[in-house]
């Protein structure tokens, strides 16, 4: 921007720690630093902070506190959920069902499990990225032990019908007379969608604190009481033997503070970013030709804008926008030796050459109408400039 | 992820020699198999020197920046020299590239070789003896 | 203490975050919060912080920066080291060799691996807790893929001859013409012992930042170049595909700051705590009867004091000391339904009833001679009082 | 890990009735198999009432606190009542115990039952009819 201000529109990548959250964390750095498992008085204050944080998270999930496991982030939550459930049920079957647009933390964990003899079925999605609950039911076999479908996609923002999928899974499990665990990666949903685990009907749910103005290196894995689970971090007896390791107290307290804050301001924040999102989508469609909105027009995260621009490479758009003071992201990343196009855009049926031109703008609470107006004032020029350089028109 | 030099940014934001040449002596349109970037290069050859170079590129910022600086470097070059213009030399001229982006610099070097090949095909007599057949 | 001051002597459990370390971390909470994998300018500052942190850790380990992997703590480092090496070498053999006094993060990870078909041999130790390198060599079979021996024990402070053990492992590996990975859990060693990975001769080494005045929820796994390794946290391509997940930038920067600080002040700090340790050991031996020092008299961590007191239960000593303002720890913890006595004390040959009476005092940089004198002034009375209550004399 | 009430701490730091009785009517020394804590209990019985109780315990702070408060509770109790003194009642008298420490409160309750058994073995006639044989 002319005045050197940077407009951050990559909130799906990470968010800044909110000062209120840092304030909640601060006592646990150097004052209440004691190991909450220790016996002496000062450690009881840490233990109290731990218990309260667990209750705080449980209140947002409408779960029991004992069902909340603190982890090191969304990646660990996803890894532990899938491995923990699969390994616990190995005797019951070796089949895992996930959507084809899951985050790599789920996708690659399935590859890891394949080394242990598991088989993964990738559910295809429609052109909006939606998973059909009937498809889930049909894909369940007498070997299925685990279904994992994300609550909202990180690239295109599509919100999946999790409670319908959970119902379909339960119905099939009943018919087959077996237990099938239902997990959802809610990393992108937190702060925008209802996280009530009973309404969602899930057995497990993953969160990553830095996606909702909480600390990096901290997250949550919800595990419904009675869910078979083999712990993946072995060691001490922390987290009721489901996650060993000296508790990251600042991270845990920060997670609870951030999640409670996000829930408290959810309605207002949704309204705020959704208005910006709609302004952005309409503006781009009005001023730039040969674009397509990726994801569902309405069943999408209120803060997600994702467009593919024909005849431009996403990275170029990003670098150019960066030069103009806008932080955004791209589905495809030409950063590694072989440029893999986004598996999400391919899954929704986009041709490789178009998938390369994706731009993701994910809004946050500090973004304003003026920010959106600024982006809309520069983006058409950027796309035009890049297209003008392209060999084919 | 990549950390770009000021030169990269300069050539990306202010690319030189974008466009076409009216009656080019050598032309090439190639695609980088690694990432799908496409470059069209046209050169005018006067005597044994590249007197003009124009290009169009669809690709990442580094592909565009290398196209731009390569077009400047080749202009005024003897064919013999131009044949030997390496992607390393182009990357160096930009002040270096992040390791993961080095493959992008191949595009311009390959396009140049390809355009010269096109020229020699049309004018076999102009081929300098130092160039392998 | 009379004036209400609390004397913290449980530094092996955790330490307070040093203000200098917090200061290094602070910019990464809410200013340089960007995802270091992102393309735009502000993220480059995070990337720079990440690279510098890696170089800082590498300089202390005398390793290449690329060999440093940031993790969520000592438990994850141990888990990933053992699982990552074992899984990568599964085709080569299924035998793992560890000492019988490893931390649960190693011991229980071996149990986890046993579910995957691995077999563990526990090396016995002598009465001081020392592992004999010859025993290691003898226990290696043509199925051994991994040896893990801790650098220093967390309970009794015994320092193991890691470089001799590494040499023995390498010699046997050469004879057997196979590759055997050598890991050491250096969680308790950091800040007190030399962490030069070449001198130690190890392929992998684990650290936990909160043990050396760094942040909780952060640690390091050193992986020597060329070491077979199957990543355990799957997802993004962070940490060169060895540990997925959005980088915990404050934790990473804090880890580097704390480790560099610990190394810088190591010599002075060792001298400081060792004098206190010797004062404490001599004082206890002088004033209390029927005690035995656990661990080696000289090959021990400079900050570790561990005694077994006959005819007292450790927990009672701890609670009583807590009432007198002293934070300490015990080998045995009568906290779970079935009180398991410390596997370490059992391994060094202590009878159950004596093992129950262990008291661990682990010193830190802020402890003073006066602190030690105070402990020595109250501890004999505490032991006497408890013994006076015991049914057998 | 445990969070102790002030009562627990008070009885641990200032235990009541530690020691032996000169000619006890019932004695018991039992060990908690769960954690190895050992308690010796001696009671003096006057008529059908426990008139004095003394104990010695080797164990954790909760074992000591429960020994202490239990000795207070049983003193003055009718044998019939004493038979029914539960570990739950003892824990409650301390203001509650952390879940993981509940097992420690069994020690004192069991010692009391055992000491009464010893008394009845020596004095079968004193056994109240309500007590199961
Ligand atoms: C949908 C989804 N799942 C999982 C993750 C992993 O979270 P983290 O990188 O915080 O470990 C992310 C973000 O990167 C995500 O967007
Ligand atoms: C020797 C040893 N290894 C591993 C660990 C585990 O470290 P953390 O609890 O920080 O994950 C500890 C400390 O608890 C330890 O002392």
């Amino acid at each position: 921007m002319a005045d050197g201000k940077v407009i951050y529109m990559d909130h799906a990548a990470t968010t800044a720690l909110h000062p209120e959250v840092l304030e909640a964390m601060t006592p646990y750095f150097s004052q209440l630093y004691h190991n909450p498992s220790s016996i002496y008085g000062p450690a009881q204050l840490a233990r109290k902070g731990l218990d309260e944080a667990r209750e705080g998270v449980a209140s947002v999930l409408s779960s029991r506190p004992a069902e909340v496991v603190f982890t090191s982030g969304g990646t660990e939550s996803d890894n532990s959920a899938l491995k923990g459930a699969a390994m616990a049920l190995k005797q019951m079957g070796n089949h895992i069902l996930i959507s084809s647009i899951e985050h790599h933390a789920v996708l690659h964990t399935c590859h890891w499990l394949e080394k242990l003899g598991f088989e993964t079925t990738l559910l295809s999605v429609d052109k909006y990225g939606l998973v059909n609950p009937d498809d889930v039911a049909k894909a369940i076999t007498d070997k299925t032990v685990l279904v994992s479908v994300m609550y909202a996609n990180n690239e295109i923002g599509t919100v999946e019908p999790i409670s319908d999928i959970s119902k379909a899974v339960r119905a099939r499990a009943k018919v087959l007379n077996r237990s099938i665990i239902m997990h959802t990666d809610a990393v992108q949903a937190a702060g925008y969608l209802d996280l009530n685990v009973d309404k969602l009907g899930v057995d497990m749910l993953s969160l990553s604190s830095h996606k909702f103005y909480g600390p990096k290196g901290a997250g949550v894995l919800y595990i419904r009481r009675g869910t078979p689970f083999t712990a993946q971090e072995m060691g001490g007896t922390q987290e009721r033997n489901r996650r060993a390791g000296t508790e990251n107290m600042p991270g845990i307290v920060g997670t609870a503070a951030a999640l409670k804050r996000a829930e408290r301001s959810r309605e207002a924040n949704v309204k705020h970013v959704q208005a910006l999102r709609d302004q952005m989508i309409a503006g781009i469609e009005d001023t730039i030709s040969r674009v397509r909105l990726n994801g569902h027009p309405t069943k999408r995260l209120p803060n997600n804008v994702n467009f593919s621009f024909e005849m431009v490479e996403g990275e170029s758009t990003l670098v150019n926008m960066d030069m103009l003071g806008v932080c955004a992201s791209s589905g495809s990343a030409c950063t590694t030796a072989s440029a893999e196009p986004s598996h999400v855009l391919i899954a929704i049926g986009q041709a490789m050459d178009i998938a390369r031109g994706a731009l993701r703008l994910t809004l946050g609470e500090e973004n304003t109408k003026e920010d959106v107006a600024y982006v809309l004032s520069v983006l058409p020029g950027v796309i035009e400039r890049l297209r003008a350089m392209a060999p084919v028109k | 992820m990549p950390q770009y030099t000021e030169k990269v940014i300069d050539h990306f934001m202010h690319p030189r020699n974008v466009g076409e040449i009216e009656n080019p002596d050598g032309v090439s349109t190639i695609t980088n198999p690694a990432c799908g970037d496409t470059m069209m290069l046209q050169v005018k050859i006067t005597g044994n020197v590249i007197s003009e170079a124009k290009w169009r590129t669809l690709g990442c910022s580094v592909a565009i920046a290398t196209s731009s600086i390569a077009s400047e470097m080749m202009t005024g070059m003897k064919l013999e020299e131009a044949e030997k213009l390496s992607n390393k030399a182009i990357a160096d001229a930009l002040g270096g590239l992040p390791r993961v982006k080095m493959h992008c610099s191949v595009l311009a070097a390959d396009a140049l070789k390809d355009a010269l090949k096109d020229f020699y095909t049309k004018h076999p007599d102009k081929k300098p003896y130092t160039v392998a057949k």
Side-chain angles (χ1 to χ4, degrees), chain A, chain B:
Chain A
M1 255 176 129
D3 59 1
K5 185 190 155 194
V6 170
I7 297 178
Y8 186 70
M9 290 197 178
D10 199 14
H11 292 83
T14 194
T15 59
L17 187 69
H18 195 278
E20 201 179 305
V21 177
L22 180 56
E23 202 181 304
M25 293 164 68
T26 298
Y28 293 89
F29 288 126
S30 310
Q31 285 85 48
L32 304 176
Y33 63 85
H34 307 81
N35 193 319
S37 299
S38 293
I39 207 166
Y40 31 80
Q44 303 310 320
L45 295 175
R47 162 68 45 183
K48 191 158 163 281
L50 179 60
D51 292 345
E52 285 172 6
R54 202 181 303 283
E55 284 155 22
V57 171
S59 73
V60 174
L61 304 182
S62 299
S63 77
R64 294 183 181 82
E67 294 171 325
V68 171
V69 177
F70 290 108
T71 70
S72 71
T75 296
E76 186 192 323
S77 293
D78 283 345
N79 272 259
S80 285
L82 270 69
K83 295 175 190 171
M87 286 176 74
L89 287 174
K90 204 173 176 188
Q91 305 307 319
M92 312 289 289
N94 71 338
H95 182 232
I96 301 168
L97 205 55
I98 65 171
S99 89
S100 52
I101 61 167
E102 293 301 308
H103 188 268
H104 285 136
V106 167
L107 266 176
H108 291 170
T109 298
C110 288
H111 298 154
W112 187 98
L113 282 164
E114 284 163 12
K115 286 188 211 152
L116 267 56
F118 287 90
E119 281 166 23
T120 317
T121 297
L122 297 186
L123 290 161
S124 56
V125 294
D126 72 8
K127 65 176 174 173
Y128 300 119
L130 281 172
V131 173
N132 185 335
D134 291 342
D135 291 350
V136 178
K138 276 182 217 138
I140 288 174
T141 75
D142 60 357
K143 295 256 178 272
T144 308
V145 291
L146 173 64
V147 176
S148 180
V149 177
M150 68 204 315
Y151 197 175
N153 183 269
N154 48 304
E155 285 186 33
I156 59 175
T158 299
V159 176
E160 303 295 344
I162 297 300
S163 68
D164 290 343
I165 294 171
S166 295
K167 273 192 207 108
V169 170
R170 265 172 235 298
R172 283 295 291 158
K174 206 166 173 189
V175 169
L176 294 170
N177 192 25
R178 35 189 299 111
S179 74
I180 303 174
I181 296 175
M182 172 72 194
H183 168 257
T184 192
D185 175 342
V187 166
Q188 292 292 337
Y192 299 113
L193 305 177
D194 187 353
L195 296 179
N196 183 312
V197 289
D198 290 333
K199 284 193 206 158
L200 289 169
V202 294
D203 300 306
M204 297 197 185
L205 177 144
S206 301
L207 296 177
S208 188
S209 312
H210 72 96
K211 307 283 187 182
F212 46 89
Y213 308 93
K216 290 175 171 61
V220 167
L221 176 58
Y222 159 79
I223 309 177
R224 188 177 291 278
R225 187 157 72 165
T227 304
F229 183 76
T230 300
Q232 297 302 307
E233 295 293 332
M234 309 297 293
T237 58
Q238 294 91 348
E239 301 292 311
R240 299 189 177 218
N241 289 309
R242 291 163 306 182
R243 205 284 184 187
T246 303
E247 293 88 347
N248 173 7
M249 285 303 301
I252 286 170
V253 169
T255 293
L259 191 63
K260 284 193 294 181
R261 184 182 165 278
E263 186 63 19
R264 207 165 55 230
S265 53
R266 184 156 68 89
E267 213 176 319
N269 194 31
V270 164
K271 222 172 130 184
H272 171 68
V273 293
Q274 189 157 313
L276 301 182
R277 177 196 75 181
D278 294 344
Q279 178 192 355
M280 185 77 92
I281 289 176
I284 289 175
E285 286 178 336
D286 279 0
T287 55
I288 308 178
S289 65
R290 290 189 287 163
V291 302
R292 43 187 99 177
L293 180 68
N294 296 316
H296 197 277
T298 56
K299 293 174 187 167
R300 75 184 299 131
L301 285 173
N303 73 327
N304 176 289
V305 176
N306 187 315
F307 276 98
S308 282
F309 298 88
E310 289 177 27
M311 294 313 295
V312 290
E313 162 73 41
E315 195 262 7
S316 283
T317 315
L318 294 186
V319 174
N320 205 335
M321 291 302 282
D322 179 29
M323 290 302 121
L324 297 164
V326 179
C327 297
S329 157
S330 144
S332 86
C334 181
T335 50
T336 46
S338 72
E340 284 175 51
S342 150
H343 69 284
V344 175
L345 297 179
I346 299 301
I348 61 171
Q350 230 170 59
M352 284 267 249
D353 60 329
I354 295 159
R356 310 171 68 215
L359 176 72
R360 181 185 75 177
L361 297 155
T362 43
L363 304 154
E365 49 184 53
E366 78 283 9
N367 287 139
T368 62
K369 278 167 94 149
E370 289 68 39
D371 291 347
V372 174
Y374 174 75
V375 171
L376 289 173
S377 76
V378 296
L379 184 58
V382 168
I383 300 296
E384 196 181 343
R385 183 179 93 84
L386 293 172
R387 281 179 179 164
M389 267 190 267
V392 200
K393 289 286 134 40
Chain B
M1 159 127 30
Q3 261 175 295
Y4 295 143
T5 62
E6 276 180 33
K7 273 244 167 98
V8 170
I9 294 300
D10 178 35
H11 277 271
F12 169 64
M13 293 300 286
H14 311 286
R16 284 60 142 177
N17 305 315
V18 179
E20 290 92 15
I21 293 173
E22 210 145 300
N23 287 307
D25 296 311
V27 299
S28 164
T29 301
I30 62 165
T31 295
N32 189 331
C35 57
D37 290 352
T38 298
M39 180 178 184
M40 181 217 73
L41 177 67
Q42 302 189 336
V43 290
K44 181 118 218 131
I45 289 160
T46 312
N48 68 338
V49 165
I50 298 176
S51 53
E52 198 180 354
K54 294 268 189 181
W55 59 273
R56 290 195 179 280
T57 293
L58 167 55
C60 66
S61 56
V62 171
I64 289 168
T66 48
S67 299
S68 170
I69 201 160
S71 73
E72 282 193 339
M73 292 169 83
M74 66 183 76
T75 304
M77 246 187 198
K78 291 197 182 130
L79 299 187
E80 271 180 70
E81 278 178 81
E83 279 280 348
K84 286 181 251 160
L85 187 64
S86 68
N87 71 311
K88 171 97 178 43
I90 296 168
D92 286 350
L94 286 168
L97 289 174
R99 202 174 43 82
V100 293
K101 286 304 226 173
M102 273 305 288
H103 72 280
C104 305
S105 62
V106 177
L107 191 64
D110 285 357
L112 173 56
K113 281 189 192 63
D114 198 48
L116 292 180
K117 202 170 132 204
D118 176 55
F119 171 68
Y120 298 140
T121 310
K122 291 177 197 153
H123 309 275
D125 53 306
K126 300 276 179 79
K127 190 157 192 167
Y129 63 95
T130 50
V131 174
K133 289 164 202 204

